[in-house]
Amino acid sequence: CMSTLNIALQNVALQRGRMIPGLEMQTKSFTSLSKLRNAATKNACLKKEYKEAMSVPIEILKERFSRLKWKGESVVVHDAAQEDMMVDLYNIFLLIDDEVKPEHVSNLRMLKSEKIDAFLAKHAQSRHYSYQIKKCTEADCAYCTLNPPRLSQEMLKDLNFIPDPVLKEDGVFKSFEETYGTPTTDKDRPSLQEKVTTTERDKQLKNLLVATKVRDFVVCCECGKRRVVYSSRKLSAAEERALIRLQEELLYICGSPLFPGGEFQDKIVVREGINCQAPIETTYYAGKTQLFDGICFHCGDIEPTTSPEIESLKRKHGIVRPICKTCLQMGHPVVTRNCLKKQKTK
Ligand SMILES: [Zn+2]
Ligand SMILES: [Zn+2]
Ligand SMILES: [Zn+2]
């Protein structure tokens, strides 16, 4: 269905509407969306004008998406949540955990609640490409008691989450009937199976994809890993802005070109023969042109851990790649290179 949605984005150029002239002047110096957003939180007039200006491209996209059909049915476009809906959501959170603060609703990353985690673990199933939620019939569940399921008990009992694709030993996927109602995981999803090979383009650019040409990194919107950005020369201010904008538009995914087309296409590049399962590139750690934070070699977590074993490995090897607590607990190896030879004693 992603490829269906992409059709709506073909052959369309988008531009926001104009704000009142004074505001256009004021915002000219804002090179990124986050700067603009910050300014709008302090300036009510800018917020209102910007919202109106943005409604132009939003309406165009809405109209284009709603003309699509998938399997004979029209694509339904929903509006983004308005403030009153956020208040409703907050009231629902309070039913589950009365210690949740209003500001948590707009920034769910700050929401750390064991009660809500437990609620979601019981009612929802989160997967890479899907999110499913189902009410329960338990008497001690405050939410489902106040908002009881509308289906009959009978039907609800037989209603299961849509299963994940599960591979059989012969490499063929099990049928829906075989998996429906059984516990499944999404480890067999096709995007996890792809093999990583160096692309023709990577071969052509091999002189650029080296430690001495590292200029920055870009974060993959799917897996969150940092991928190294290479360029023959240090990035200019304009190039850096282009990269920031690209990051804000959530366009980069592991394995895709950084700038598909345009003036930067062959100037500012990433390695393309990778996918989201690939570890962090070793050039990330090289530190020849840029010194980046140590992040987990396997998953990119920004808080690597240490242990007596890791410290001892560090004494014996020239290079010990950082690893996070979770990857260590999952049994991923601590990757090392350049074993130091024992010093000769006279
Ligand atoms: Zn419930
Ligand atoms: Zn990725
Ligand atoms: Zn990790």
Side-chain angles (χ1 to χ4, degrees), residues 196-231:
V196 181
T197 45
T198 309
T199 64
E200 276 310 308
R201 190 169 142 85
D202 285 352
K203 283 180 200 159
Q204 277 165 20
L205 295 172
K206 73 174 196 300
N207 294 330
L208 208 52
L209 303 173
V210 293
T212 51
K213 304 283 196 274
V214 172
R215 303 300 168 195
D216 208 334
F217 61 78
V218 60
V219 178
C220 168
C221 316
E222 288 250 320
C223 68
K225 283 180 191 162
R226 296 177 180 184
R227 299 303 186 194
V228 178
V229 171
Y230 305 86
S231 182

Side-chain angles (χ1 to χ4, degrees), residues 119 122-123 134-138 141-145:
F119 178 84
K122 213 169 101 186
H123 295 80
K134 186 188 162 192
K135 287 181 189 174
C136 73
T137 48
E138 280 163 38
C141 177
Y143 180 79
C144 300
T145 311

Side-chain angles (χ1 to χ4, degrees), residues 279-315:
I280 304 298
E281 290 151 274
T282 52
T283 47
Y284 176 89
Y285 304 99
K288 293 234 194 284
T289 51
Q290 293 276 340
L291 210 56
F292 300 137
D293 300 331
I295 56 170
C296 175
F297 181 68
H298 301 285
C299 73
D301 190 293
I302 54 170
E303 281 176 23
T305 186
T306 190
S307 70
E309 289 76 34
I310 295 174
E311 290 307 313
S312 133
L313 283 170
K314 278 183 187 165
R315 285 191 292 274

Side-chain angles (χ1 to χ4, degrees), residues 216-265:
D216 208 334
F217 61 78
V218 60
V219 178
C220 168
C221 316
E222 288 250 320
C223 68
K225 283 180 191 162
R226 296 177 180 184
R227 299 303 186 194
V228 178
V229 171
Y230 305 86
S231 182
S232 60
R233 256 174 280 146
K234 195 170 176 284
L235 299 187
S236 68
E239 290 171 336
E240 269 171 18
R241 279 201 299 275
L243 199 60
I244 292 172
R245 238 174 281 137
L246 178 123
Q247 187 75 78
E248 284 188 341
E249 286 162 12
L250 303 177
L251 291 175
Y252 175 73
I253 292 171
C254 299
S256 64
L258 189 60
F259 291 98
E263 56 173 322
F264 302 130
Q265 186 172 18

